[in-house]
Structure formats: structure tokens, C-alpha cells
Amino acid sequence: MSTVESLNEIRRELPAGVALVAVSKTHPPEAVMELYTGAGQRAFGESRPQELKAKYEALPKDIEWHMIGNLQTNKVKYIAPFVKLIHSVDSDKLLAVIDREAKKNGRTIDVLLEVHVAGEESKIGWEEQELAEYLKTEAHKAYGNVSIRGLMAIASLTEDAGQQEREFKRVRFLFDELKEFTGPLFDTLSLGMTSDYRVAVRCGSTMVRIGSLIFGERDYSKV
Ligand SMILES: *Cc1c(COP(=O)(O)O)cnc(C)c1O
């Protein structure tokens, strides 16, 4: 199946209101262009700031670039001028740097806060309690150039769909609970990738991030 056919098949399956980010990391700009022209896809996701910047520079400017991977503070400057949504904000420190870089570029950057719900194999993201306390202090309101649009999470890598479902449901619950402290723009819940997007959608995801199911396996040796 071509990437265009795979993408269209996923689109047909997703309920209205669930956005699809095509995760193009490790794939060349031509692969992005195929979906851009062949399927009208505009939202693409990348994990590495330099790769994201290089693709931004090489490709049409109406593409919406999503930063979905772990982001170091010293790399924010590469993507701040154009990034559409940063999914992976895991600390107040990173939020402060994004705010500063957004201001330098005269714009507001939309972000999601990444919640840690998977098992012990991963440590990335806010603990649920810690995040709730942070938002309730309203400390984030000091950042005039970031807009916190919602939450993102990665479920445990497991064959146990029941466990993934419990993890996703916890994030959905937290998302609904935190709306009160974040306002009406808090409307995005980024949950689900190739192996678990169906579970994620059942649990209330509003945005899925899908790579391999569209583009095939990644070859990291080519990057
Ligand atoms: C790579 C990546 C994806 C896409 O993974 P697939 O399994 O290829 O769909 C989704 N989310 C994040 C955070 C990623 O790093």
C-alpha cells in the first residue's frame, strides 16, 4: 500500500474531531511531499529539533510542524520561529524557555504538557499529582507567550490493551479535571500511536500521532 492509501485508510477510520499528525521522523522530505500533494495532509510530527528545522526549510510553508519528542531547552531556538504545537513539555523550566523564545519571535507558541502514565521503563513527563498542583498554583499564567492547549501521554509499550486503556483513561480524567484551571483553549489531548491509537481514541483522544503505519518501519541508520 502507498503512504497516501495508508493515510486515507486511517482517516476514514478516525471519528470526526480526532486530528491526525503524520509522524515523518527519519523519512526524507519527499515522503512528506507525497502526502502533502497526494492526500492534502498538512500536520506532520518530528522528534528532533534539527531534523524538524531542516524539513521546515525544505518544504512548503503551510505545513503545520508538531514537535513530539523530548526537547532540550538549548534546542528550543531551532523551532521557535515556526513550530505549530510542542507536545512534549515536561517541566516549568522548559515552558519558561519556550515563552522566552516565542517572545523573541513575536509569537505565541501552543504547547501540550506531557504526563507520565506508563510504567517504570519511562520517566519522561509530569507525574499526575505534580502536574495538577503546578496548574492549580497558576504559575504558568506568568508566561504570556505560551498557550497551554492540553496534555500528551505515551502509554506503556505492552501487548496488554487493558493496561493501555487504564493509562489513557487516567490522562483523560486528568485532562477534564484540569480544564477548570487552564481555560477554554485547553482542548487537545494527544494520545495514541501506531500500536495503540484505537485504544486511545476509545479513551477520548483528540489527536493521534502515527508514523510506522503510514510510512513503514523507520531506519535510524539513515538519519
Ligand atoms: C515516533 C513517535 C510516534 C509515532 O510512532 P509510530 O509507532 O511509528 O506510530 C508517536 N509519538 C511519539 C512521541 C513518537 O516519538
Side-chain angles (χ1 to χ4, degrees), residues 83-219:
V83 69
K84 168 78 175 171
L85 179 65
I86 302 177
H87 291 227
S88 43
V89 177
D90 60 356
S91 68
D92 173 66
K93 188 174 154 223
L94 179 56
L95 205 55
V97 173
I98 295 169
D99 182 57
R100 191 185 72 206
E101 294 296 324
K103 204 169 293 165
K104 273 191 206 162
N105 285 281
R107 62 187 297 245
T108 297
I109 296 181
D110 284 350
V111 304
L112 304 178
L113 303 177
E114 181 169 356
V115 188
H116 175 229
V117 285
E120 284 304 307
E121 72 270 22
S122 138
K123 290 261 183 279
I124 297 175
W126 303 75
E127 295 305 323
E128 290 151 83
Q129 196 53 38
E130 176 196 18
L131 178 61
E133 280 163 19
Y134 174 74
L135 289 177
K136 284 172 189 176
T137 66
E138 308 206 338
H140 61 281
K141 297 207 169 147
Y143 302 131
N145 292 70
V146 290
S147 176
I148 300 180
R149 300 299 303 269
L151 304 179
M152 182 272 241
I154 300 173
S156 292
L157 189 62
T158 167
E159 299 291 305
D160 182 353
Q163 181 180 346
Q164 292 176 329
E165 185 167 326
R166 285 191 295 279
E167 292 172 356
F168 285 141
K169 280 189 172 155
R170 292 215 318 263
V171 189
R172 176 72 214 196
F173 183 83
L174 188 66
F175 175 71
D176 291 332
E177 182 185 70
L178 293 177
K179 269 183 193 155
E180 182 188 339
F181 305 95
T182 46
L185 286 177
F186 197 74
D187 58 3
T188 305
L189 188 56
S190 169
L191 301 176
M193 36 212 268
T194 292
S195 59
D196 57 18
Y197 75 94
R198 290 192 175 103
V199 184
V201 166
R202 275 206 305 278
C203 296
S205 169
T206 71
M207 186 176 277
V208 294
R209 313 172 306 270
I210 299 183
S212 350
L213 189 60
I214 299 168
F215 293 102
E217 290 299 310
R218 284 181 288 275
D219 180 356

Side-chain angles (χ1 to χ4, degrees), residues 6-18:
S6 306
L7 181 104
N8 281 330
E9 194 159 288
I10 297 165
R11 276 184 181 159
R12 278 194 293 274
E13 183 189 332
L14 291 176
V18 179

